Amino acid sequence: RGTVEDWDGEIIYRYMSPISYTMSAHERAVMAALGCLEAIRSGTTTLVDPFRHVPSYVEAMADTGLRLWLSESCADIDTRKIRFGEYGIDEAFGRLFLDRTQELIETWNGARNGRVNCQVAAHAPDNCSPTMLGKIMELARRHNLTRTCHLAQSTGEIAAVKAAHDLTPAGYLDREGFLGPDLTCAHWTFCTREDIALLAERGVNMAHNPAPSSRKGPHRVLVGPIRDAGVNIALGTDNMTEDMFQAMKIGMIVHRAGFGREQEGGLDPQPQGVLDMATRNGARTLGALGEIGSIEVGKKADITLLDLNQPAMRPIIRLTSNIVNYAHPGLVHSVIVDGEFVMRDRKVLTIDEPALLAEAQEVTERVWRRMVEANADIAPPKGEIPFLDA
């Protein structure tokens, strides 16, 4: 947060992967809890989160009271070496992720009265061999779990998959039988029209993260053709923020631009359609629409209460339009998950907020120092991070 949004170059393997390996289990738990805290204050009741070393911090996330679907992002090509152009398959590296996935499922799937659940995840097409994809599918079948994967998120990924398989990332996953309605792929930024038609035919869900993908200029995803193809699109935050109000605002702009349509622009989607992307559509990707995603008799008591008596919400003519276009985390009054308050009258009940904020800052400064000391090639621009120069 506050760094890679403004720097040129590849950020996934240059910063995000190295920093996650630099952290201790406790440090990961602190930062994961910070993400949960922001999510709660932004009115979120359910998080879907694939990452690395998840068993080391899942308890910290579960203790926040949020509803969770978690997965270990599996890869058998060492993501720490990709920034050097190394794409060799490392079976031992891959086994670590598969073992963590099995541990996570055995220990946490269905835990906390069903509030914590698991998925199975492939990190991305450029760091998973056909063998790894097959093992991930077998795990999902064995435990009857939904799956996730990043897809076409960078030009580097496109080039690597082309070099290894002479296919697009979507084409490669399809060749391996990986695509299906139980799969949600994030981003689709560099998917071709042919990719989109294939993904729609296979029933793949899209996790669209408009905020981070729009920070460096107009979003390049062909969202118009994706919507026209009837793909189930769920909004997400991805990283650097957990503010779903921001995701809805920026998502509205991106989707109305309709990039990729013959006649771009217009007033579609309407606010309810965008709100559905942040609620019902997300639940649908999990196969959980019968339990969450809307307030109905028989569903889980996951409810966000907004204070409408605020300038940003007045006057009220079309309430859903106000929420999608103008709401912000400061309006969130209370958050209930599984019938229990996790935030009440703007006070978070499951986290010592001042202590967490202070420790998260300390952790961040420690970890950045260690990462730069251990990886001289990824030092940030001089003067960009004051505590590194102190």
Side-chain angles (χ1 to χ4, degrees):
R1 172 175 283 167
T3 57
V4 296
E5 303 95 331
D6 309 308
W7 295 343
D8 289 331
E10 207 285 325
I11 64 172
I12 298 165
Y13 297 123
R14 186 173 178 83
Y15 290 105
M16 294 180 180
S17 185
I19 205 163
S20 68
Y21 283 97
T22 302
M23 302 172 82
S24 68
H26 176 71
E27 288 166 340
R28 292 188 195 100
V30 169
M31 301 311 294
L34 177 64
C36 291
L37 172 61
E38 186 185 12
I40 291 169
R41 286 211 163 273
S42 301
T44 292
T45 60
T46 298
L47 288 177
V48 178
D49 188 33
F51 201 57
R52 289 174 289 276
H53 307 98
V54 178
S56 69
Y57 61 82
V58 56
E59 186 168 17
M61 295 184 73
D63 287 347
T64 67
L66 284 171
R67 190 175 302 283
L68 304 170
W69 265 267
L70 304 175
S71 54
E72 182 81 10
S73 285
C74 296
D76 60 352
I77 293 171
D78 195 332
T79 54
R80 297 166 297 184
K81 298 178 180 179
I82 288 177
R83 73 179 190 273
F84 304 115
E86 298 181 27
Y87 281 91
I89 296 171
D90 186 333
E91 292 184 7
F93 183 78
R95 173 50 55 188
L96 290 173
F97 291 100
L98 294 170
D99 288 347
R100 287 192 204 119
T101 297
Q102 188 65 44
E103 176 189 352
L104 188 67
I105 294 169
E106 291 177 355
T107 307
W108 286 97
N109 192 42
R112 304 291 174 93
N113 195 33
R115 185 169 51 79
V116 181
N117 292 284
C118 296
Q119 294 183 293
V120 181
H123 184 169
D126 61 331
N127 56 43
C128 287
S129 71
T131 299
M132 175 57 79
L133 293 177
K135 291 177 179 178
I136 290 168
M137 287 188 286
E138 172 55 31
L139 269 172
R141 283 192 294 265
R142 187 187 317 155
H143 297 283
N144 192 29
L145 300 178
T146 51
R147 298 172 294 131
T148 73
C149 184
H150 296 80
L151 178 67
Q153 63 180 329
S154 70
T155 54
E157 176 193 330
I158 301 295
V161 175
K162 174 71 173 175
H165 307 287
D166 197 28
L167 291 165
T168 65
Y172 167 51
L173 294 182
D174 189 55
R175 188 193 73 185
E176 299 304 318
F178 200 77
L179 302 182
D182 63 324
L183 175 67
T184 299
C185 288
H187 305 305
W188 303 36
T189 307
F190 297 98
C191 281
T192 66
R193 292 174 186 272
E194 292 75 19
D195 291 334
I196 291 166
L198 173 63
L199 292 160
E201 181 183 350
R202 299 290 188 258
V204 178
N205 302 281
M206 179 193 192
H208 184 210
N209 306 290
S213 299
S214 301
R215 296 199 190 283
K216 296 185 178 182
H219 200 330
R220 297 182 60 176
V221 66
L222 296 172
V223 72
I226 293 169
R227 289 181 55 229
D228 289 345
V231 172
N232 179 51
I233 303 173
L235 286 185
T237 55
D238 193 25
N239 47 50
M240 278 81 81
T241 174
E242 295 301 335
D243 182 353
M244 282 296 293
F245 294 110
Q246 185 182 80
M248 287 193 291
K249 288 185 186 68
I250 297 177
M252 173 79 89
I253 294 168
V254 170
H255 282 253
R256 284 188 173 180
F259 184 49
R261 284 181 170 150
E262 289 185 8
Q263 291 185 333
E264 296 179 12
L267 297 178
D268 183 35
Q270 284 289 298
Q272 185 62 56
V274 176
L275 185 60
D276 285 346
M277 292 179 191
T279 54
R280 292 181 175 91
N281 293 10
R284 187 174 289 112
T285 70
L286 300 165
L289 186 56
E291 294 186 320
I292 60 173
S294 60
I295 301 174
E296 299 179 54
V297 173
K299 289 194 174 185
K300 300 291 186 181
D302 294 2
I303 302 170
T304 297
L305 305 180
L306 303 182
D307 180 359
L308 302 181
N309 198 28
Q310 297 290 329
M313 288 289 99
R314 297 288 176 162
I316 297 172
I317 300 175
R318 298 172 66 234
L319 178 57
T320 304
S321 181
N322 280 21
I323 291 171
V324 171
N325 284 296
Y326 304 111
H328 56 79
L331 302 176
V332 179
H333 179 278
S334 299
V335 178
I336 300 168
V337 180
D338 214 25
E340 300 289 339
F341 281 96
V342 295
M343 182 167 83
R344 188 167 193 169
D345 195 14
R346 294 186 168 87
K347 178 177 175 56
V348 178
L349 305 179
T350 57
I351 298 170
D352 183 340
E353 187 167 354
L356 176 60
L357 295 178
E359 187 171 14
Q361 183 65 34
E362 294 171 2
V363 165
T364 297
E365 295 185 13
R366 276 201 312 268
V367 170
W368 268 90
R369 289 193 186 100
R370 288 206 309 268
M371 182 181 70
V372 171
E373 288 171 2
N375 302 276
D377 65 297
I378 60 174
K382 190 69 174 176
E384 290 286 326
I385 301 182
F387 61 75
L388 290 183
D389 301 324

